[in-house]
Amino acid sequence: MKAARIVLATACALGLAVAAQATPQHAHDSHAAHAASAAVQAPAQRWTPDAPLRAGMRRAHTAVAELAHYEMGHMSAPMAVDRATEVESAVTYMFANCKLSAEPDAALHGILVPLLTAAQALKADPAKVSAVADMRAAIAHYPQYFDDPGWDKPVPAEHVMHDEP
């Protein structure tokens, strides 16, 4: 029964992300990210993430941090699409591999769905630089819900080439 709920929740989350991508976007895009993550109240004691969640969030966090170069005009559109693809891959990995109880799982979906939606928006339209801020806003909710040792350490600084890959 628990596995069926996880599969159903994952299917719903991915369906929402696909529907959000297919729906015409408007000026309130970033509000959806905040509303989705606010659906589950932050716990009095943060939950402990499992290993796949920690690994996936670090991958997504690193890719989003690198996209700051794109916001400043120091990264090409193809490289930005590559980073958005990495975020999408990390989210897909988390949906497939995280094993959480119902409440932390619901909170996680409130983070991952807006993150995935924003990554897909950037991939679909690299001129939509505001999607990077939406990704950053989604990830910012993670430490409110999950006690991930080392999360507050800086993202590894890796200087990447900023011209075409």
Side-chain angles (χ1 to χ4, degrees):
M1 183 70 164
K2 183 177 179 182
R5 284 191 299 168
I6 292 171
V7 169
L8 180 61
T10 301
C12 289
L14 290 174
L16 285 171
V18 169
Q21 183 179 4
T23 304
Q25 302 296 312
H26 55 82
H28 298 290
D29 287 348
S30 64
H31 295 298
H34 297 294
S37 61
V40 176
Q41 186 174 16
Q45 183 170 353
R46 295 178 299 159
W47 298 297
T48 302
D50 61 7
L53 176 53
R54 287 190 309 271
M57 285 304 294
R58 279 178 176 62
R59 282 176 50 200
H61 193 218
T62 299
V64 171
E66 290 173 357
L67 282 166
H69 293 288
Y70 189 58
E71 289 176 303
M72 294 182 282
H74 301 154
M75 178 184 281
S76 68
M79 289 184 78
V81 168
D82 181 59
R83 298 316 184 277
T85 300
E86 175 60 18
V87 170
E88 188 177 48
S89 174
V91 170
T92 301
Y93 170 81
M94 287 182 274
F95 277 136
N97 294 288
C98 291
K99 308 292 185 227
L100 302 171
S101 60
E103 199 172 5
D105 188 64
L108 179 60
H109 284 244
I111 295 167
L112 296 184
V113 170
L115 179 61
L116 180 61
T117 301
Q120 291 173 336
L122 184 62
K123 281 180 63 176
D125 181 6
K128 188 175 171 73
V129 178
S130 64
V132 177
D134 293 341
M135 285 185 260
R136 195 171 25 257
I139 287 176
H141 293 289
Y142 176 68
Q144 295 171 345
Y145 293 95
F146 295 94
D147 184 16
D148 187 341
W151 178 258
D152 55 350
K153 292 180 184 173
V155 173
E158 178 183 333
H159 189 75
V160 294
M161 301 259 318
H162 300 295
D163 44 5
E164 298 297 323

